[in-house]
Amino acid sequence: MALTIEEVRHIAQLARLTLTSEEEHRYTEQLSDILDYAGRLSKVDTSAIPPTASVLPLHAPLRPDVIRPCPPQKLILRNAPSDQDGMFRVPPVLDT
Amino acid sequence: MTDLTDLTLLEAAAALRSGDVSSRELTQACLDRIEDLEPKIHAFLSLTPDLALKQAEDADRQLSEWRREGVDPPSPTWGIPMGIKDVLCLEGVPTTCGSKILEGFRPPYTATSVERLIDAGVVVLGKTNTDEFAMGSSTENSAYGSTFNPWDLTRVPGGSSGGSAASVAANMCYAALGTDTGGSVRQPASFCGVTGIKTSYGRVSRYGLIAYGSSLDTVGALAHSAADLLPIFHTISGHDPLDSTSMPEPVPHVALDGTDLTGLRIGVPKEYFIEGMQGEVETAVHDAVRIFEALGAVACEISLPHTDLALPVYYIIAPAEASANLARYDAVRYGPRIEAEDLRGQYFATRGALFGQEVKRRIMLGTYALSAGYYDAYYGQAQKVRTLIKGDFESAFKEVDLIACPVAPTTAFRMGEHSEDPLSMYLEDVFTLPANLAGVPGIAFPVGFDSDRLPIGMQLNAPHLGEAILFRATYAYQEVTSWHKERPSL
């Protein structure tokens, strides 16, 4: 399965990654190799096999709905690269 | 007394209990040894000497109180200095996952596994080095530089818990926490000649473990022997309301009191002895199986027919889960930010610049495998083949109690040996990935040395939640052998 450089650029867009031109070329080659190797999966007949998403039986356990203390706002904001008035500060999202 | 750092965890615990030594003395001895050896080994990403000495003093106060009252500490972990892999959160202490994208991050809370250890009197020396986001098999993918193998400083310690394995091998601490998504406890344990437990999926809470592959991630530990690991396993295991995938099943209290393995059935999977593997590894594993037989176990050849598919399944599923989990690094809530004109540009610039090569490669691979038009062919198909791999183990465990096999095809490889070819690096994980895909526990421990005096490791796997049998069998082996007592000359 050979990927094209256009496909690599498209995946990088989906993944929100800026890649250098050198990275685009390297990933085109390396991801093609890996997908080529993964291609052997397609030879397995799985028509009667259910998928495994988790090795545990999937269920949603419930716990009592009680109020627990949560970390104070100040502590959470301490890690933010930029904050203002108790909020995370980001560049404009909408055109004004 | 010999150097305090030469003691095993249980020897140190006995000395603490009797009052022959204080936790402060043990902690200072470890900190001194770290200061001495860290320039050569680089096992730690951050050290917490002030926290450690305070915890040690608290432990000493508690231990002397118990001694006055004539009661034993509730756990041998009390007052024992440990390292913590830097993918586990510890409140207020830098936690980077070996990545530039989390440089300076100080978690506002502590991982359940770490908190349980601290509550059981463990002293935290610092955070150990790891491949970035635990993605790698050599610790070379750490954004802060590789760890060096204490047995040969030109070789890798394995990964991703390479810092934890090297710190234990070099006697910088008595034990360390690690994590295992595809072999990240077992393979570095093997390369560094220490004992490492990968717990069953769901046995130990993942709360506060920074996510890589959520259906595969497990917390484990590394020390010099199964006996040293057992109190850590007892402490960190068990249900946690903060992790809905942690199992409600009670944790067995394992007693290690004998070497008689009469009746134990051990299966040796023929698919784990492949062309191209190091002959010395194959021989050492077969020799170890004969020791188990001498202890009363019955060994036979078994088949895990889908073994060769574990690698392609893992390298679709783990990157797919990683691409989703790592979407959270958006330079909004934590981590450094590369400024751009708008929010979208900021995502691209920050993620492009601050994720390392292997992390970007796996995000790209996972994004592709989950993208429209390819989902069924890659991710969907990989999940179905995962069912077959899980089924291999279920069938095998109807016939045998344990599976015995190599940990990796070779002993520790040289720095840079696989760095240009990611696929050849992935092949290092070929014997450890199946246990993660099946969710079963595994233990790795030393069974010999190769002609370069590099440690050779062996792996045992048990059914889901079957850790007790792993501890009993490994303990029996280590009672009659001495590979785990060997130390590198540094």
Side-chain angles (χ1 to χ4, degrees):
Chain A
M1 171 80 215
L3 282 181
T4 63
I5 196 156
E6 287 73 29
E7 284 175 306
V8 165
R9 287 181 184 136
H10 175 64
I11 302 164
Q13 283 292 311
L14 294 174
R16 305 288 185 266
L17 292 168
T18 298
L19 298 183
T20 63
S21 154
E22 195 256 327
E23 284 174 327
E24 286 173 353
H25 284 94
R26 184 164 0 120
Y27 288 151
T28 301
E29 191 184 318
Q30 291 176 340
L31 295 179
S32 295
D33 282 352
I34 297 164
L35 289 170
D36 196 43
Y37 187 81
R40 63 181 63 189
L41 291 178
S42 65
K43 299 189 184 76
V44 185
D45 178 8
T46 55
S47 49
I49 309 293
T52 295
S54 165
V55 295
L56 305 180
L58 284 178
H59 65 116
L62 299 176
R63 59 177 160 79
D65 185 17
V66 290
I67 296 170
R68 298 190 300 118
C70 68
Q73 189 186 48
K74 225 171 103 183
L75 188 64
I76 298 298
L77 285 171
R78 200 178 62 184
N79 280 302
S82 178
D83 67 291
Q84 187 184 321
D85 304 332
M87 291 177 277
F88 297 110
R89 193 167 189 279
V90 294
V93 181
L94 302 170
D95 291 332
T96 49
Chain B
M1 189 180 274
T2 50
D3 192 329
L4 292 176
T5 58
D6 289 341
L7 300 175
T8 67
L9 186 151
L10 288 182
E11 287 167 352
L16 285 167
R17 197 162 55 237
S18 65
D20 289 344
V21 71
S22 68
S23 175
R24 199 190 151 92
E25 288 169 314
L26 293 180
T27 302
Q28 193 58 55
C30 288
L31 290 170
D32 290 347
R33 185 152 174 98
I34 290 168
E35 191 179 323
D36 187 26
L37 292 178
E38 198 49 5
K40 283 191 205 171
I41 309 281
H42 188 40
F44 287 87
L45 291 179
S46 60
L47 291 168
T48 51
D50 296 344
L51 172 70
L53 289 168
K54 187 192 169 298
Q55 288 172 327
E57 279 162 19
D58 290 347
D60 282 332
R61 225 176 346 264
Q62 184 64 66
L63 285 160
S64 65
E65 198 172 306
W66 281 324
R67 217 174 300 120
R68 259 197 316 277
E69 293 165 3
V71 296
D72 280 341
S75 163
T77 49
W78 221 276
I80 297 292
M82 281 183 62
I84 306 290
K85 186 178 181 183
D86 203 29
V87 296
L88 291 157
C89 288
L90 176 53
E91 185 182 340
V93 173
T95 299
T96 67
C97 291
S99 181
K100 292 285 180 198
I101 213 159
L102 276 174
E103 192 162 22
F105 174 62
R106 289 173 188 263
Y109 63 92
T110 298
T112 298
S113 53
V114 178
E115 190 156 84
R116 286 183 180 180
L117 285 176
I118 292 172
D119 288 347
V122 161
V123 170
V124 177
L125 294 168
K127 308 296 293 294
T128 56
N129 200 4
T130 169
D131 286 295
E132 185 175 359
F133 287 103
M135 298 180 192
S137 312
S138 69
T139 323
E140 291 168 296
N141 294 336
S142 168
Y144 303 97
S146 182
T147 296
F148 299 86
N149 191 318
W151 291 92
D152 177 345
L153 299 171
T154 67
R155 293 180 188 263
V156 302
S160 63
S161 309
S164 291
S167 67
V168 171
N171 287 356
M172 293 167 156
C173 54
Y174 298 94
L177 276 191
T179 61
D180 192 316
T181 304
S184 282
V185 162
R186 291 161 288 158
Q187 186 253 21
S190 176
F191 280 16
C192 289
V194 301
T195 306
I197 177 82
K198 173 225 174 281
T199 55
S200 306
Y201 183 81
R203 179 62 100 185
V204 179
S205 170
R206 291 184 291 116
Y207 180 73
L209 160 59
I210 297 177
Y212 158 26
S214 301
S215 80
L216 305 158
D217 290 341
T218 58
V219 179
L222 303 95
H224 283 298
S225 68
D228 280 0
L229 283 175
L230 185 61
I232 298 168
F233 170 73
H234 282 147
T235 302
I236 63 177
S237 297
H239 179 66
D240 174 15
L242 299 175
D243 173 5
S244 65
T245 61
S246 69
M247 303 286 284
E249 277 72 7
V251 182
H253 190 84
V254 187
L256 300 177
D257 52 7
T259 60
D260 184 6
L261 298 179
T262 301
L264 185 76
R265 299 166 302 169
I266 298 180
V268 182
K270 61 179 184 202
E271 291 83 2
Y272 281 60
F273 298 89
I274 54 172
E275 207 178 306
M277 74 185 285
Q278 196 176 330
E280 292 161 300
V281 172
E282 190 169 346
T283 306
V285 170
H286 285 306
D287 288 349
V289 170
R290 273 192 285 278
I291 300 223
F292 283 110
E293 288 178 310
L295 294 171
V298 180
C300 63
E301 186 181 271
I302 59 164
S303 175
L304 300 170
H306 299 95
T307 298
D308 66 323
L309 297 170
L311 189 74
V313 168
Y314 180 88
Y315 280 99
I316 295 298
I317 289 179
E321 294 183 3
S323 73
N325 277 324
L326 272 59
R328 74 189 60 175
Y329 300 101
D330 57 7
V332 172
R333 293 154 299 163
Y334 34 71
R337 173 183 289 183
I338 310 272
E339 303 280 350
E341 270 180 28
D342 58 9
L343 186 62
R344 188 183 153 88
Q346 184 180 291
Y347 295 156
F348 276 84
T350 304
R351 292 164 59 83
L354 300 182
F355 281 135
Q357 288 301 317
E358 183 61 30
V359 173
K360 282 191 273 193
R361 189 153 44 234
R362 292 198 198 185
I363 290 174
M364 295 279 290
L365 190 55
T367 302
Y368 180 76
L370 291 174
S371 64
Y374 298 100
Y375 182 98
D376 288 340
Y378 287 103
Y379 188 66
Q381 179 70 357
Q383 283 191 317
K384 289 177 182 171
V385 181
R386 183 178 184 179
T387 305
L388 297 172
I389 291 163
K390 185 166 167 263
D392 281 355
F393 282 90
E394 286 161 357
S395 303
F397 286 130
K398 286 182 186 140
E399 311 294 327
V400 298
D401 305 303
L402 278 179
I403 293 172
C405 56
V407 181
T410 64
T411 55
F413 48 88
R414 290 187 189 283
M415 298 269 172
E417 194 169 325
H418 294 296
S419 49
E420 292 308 308
D421 181 2
L423 194 53
S424 78
M425 182 74 93
Y426 298 170
L427 282 162
E428 286 294 322
D429 303 335
V430 65
F431 301 146
T432 48
L433 303 172
N436 297 83
L437 292 169
V440 301
I443 194 165
F445 52 96
V447 295
F449 288 87
D450 72 4
S451 53
D452 292 323
R453 198 166 159 71
L454 296 169
I456 299 172
M458 164 179 191
Q459 169 174 218
L460 297 175
N461 294 129
H464 191 240
L465 301 182
E467 287 91 349
I469 190 75
L470 297 179
F471 280 107
R472 279 202 291 271
T474 308
Y475 171 78
Y477 178 87
Q478 292 182 327
E479 280 292 285
V480 300
T481 57
S482 57
W483 303 115
H484 63 291
K485 294 178 184 162
E486 302 279 333
R487 298 288 183 274
S489 49
L490 281 160

